[in-house]
Amino acid sequence: MTLQDVQNIFCVGRNYAEHAKELGNEVPDTPILFTKPTNALAIADGQTLNYPSDQGDIHHELEIVLKIGKSSDSQSVNDRVVEMALGIDLTLRDLQSTLKKKGHPWERAKGFRNSAILTPFWSFSSVEDIEHTTFTLKKNGETVQYGNSTQMLFNFQQLVDECDQAFGLGEGDIIFTGTPEGVGPISDGDVFTLFWGEEEKGSFTVAFNK
């Protein structure tokens, strides 16, 4: 996968009830959608990624990411999604809280450089197969987040339908499908590793700008 393959980045907020509760947010009745610019993309290929040190806490959010294939007459997720990955949606949490209080959009807290981290993509088999596998994020060797797609408030089909209706979906578009509980701040020197089941899919190291 190259970053140029990705066309649009659509994201889903509060799609796991326990995550919504841990941040003191209401559990939504319909999917909360937002976007990130493609300039936010980075690959979890073992590299060191740089972040601002003067904008408050930056929180990690582990997610399953779906990649849309060529247009199809079928609206089924099993036909429209061709690949999947694990991703980290990073959030400038202090800035997001300030923006929310003012009723402003979240993009400044969500769309900064290296805030949409992706493992390499692999073939999407089926919704049913994915339900049997847990995904995990480890920070410095310790598990900080784990989840399963069956815990989502809105399933893959609902998310694809909602994004298609709201924005239109085309080949190369990706969807960050929401994060389970356990989000927390990143720190200078942290090493993050992403697992699908027992298989390591990607990693990266955090460096704060001096």
Side-chain angles (χ1 to χ4, degrees), residues 107-118:
E107 274 73 12
R108 291 179 67 90
K110 286 287 193 178
F112 55 100
R113 289 190 180 277
N114 297 333
S115 65
I117 307 168
L118 294 172

Side-chain angles (χ1 to χ4, degrees), residues 19-186:
H19 167 60
K21 292 175 184 176
E22 73 178 343
L23 295 183
N25 294 318
E26 293 182 1
V27 175
D29 295 325
T30 57
I32 296 174
L33 304 180
F34 61 96
T35 66
K36 286 178 180 265
T38 54
N39 284 344
L41 286 169
I43 300 178
D45 59 358
Q47 68 176 310
T48 297
L49 300 175
N50 294 301
Y51 296 99
S53 60
D54 59 352
Q55 296 193 45
D57 282 347
I58 304 174
H59 280 195
H60 58 75
E61 302 184 13
L62 173 68
E63 315 205 6
I64 294 174
V65 181
L66 307 179
K67 187 176 182 183
I68 302 299
K70 293 181 180 179
S71 298
S72 169
D73 291 336
S74 171
Q75 295 302 307
S76 168
V77 164
N78 290 338
D79 294 325
R80 300 201 67 185
V81 175
V82 292
E83 292 181 310
M84 64 178 291
L86 294 178
I88 301 290
D89 165 21
L90 290 177
T91 305
L92 292 168
R93 189 67 74 197
D94 297 336
L95 176 58
Q96 185 192 40
S97 296
T98 299
L99 293 170
K100 287 166 63 177
K101 288 178 182 177
K102 294 180 178 180
H104 293 176
W106 296 355
E107 274 73 12
R108 291 179 67 90
K110 286 287 193 178
F112 55 100
R113 289 190 180 277
N114 297 333
S115 65
I117 307 168
L118 294 172
T119 69
F121 281 87
W122 67 91
S123 294
F124 181 90
S125 52
S126 70
V127 171
E128 294 73 23
D129 284 345
I130 290 171
E131 290 177 348
H132 297 297
T133 305
T134 298
F135 56 106
T136 305
L137 179 66
K138 292 188 177 183
K139 180 172 74 170
N140 304 323
E142 300 275 341
T143 296
V144 288
Q145 284 189 273
Y146 64 93
N148 182 280
S149 63
T150 58
Q151 299 168 333
M152 296 192 304
L153 294 171
F154 307 103
N155 63 34
F156 291 147
Q157 186 67 61
Q158 290 171 299
L159 298 183
V160 167
D161 290 345
E162 192 80 11
C163 287
D164 201 18
Q165 181 178 12
F167 307 114
L169 285 175
E171 183 178 7
D173 291 345
I174 64 174
I175 304 172
F176 280 72
T177 60
T179 190
E181 65 180 316
V183 304
I186 65 174

Side-chain angles (χ1 to χ4, degrees), residues 191-206:
V191 177
F192 287 93
T193 314
L194 299 84
F195 289 86
W196 181 249
E198 299 298 321
E199 183 180 358
E200 180 179 328
K201 288 295 188 178
S203 66
F204 65 96
T205 299
V206 172

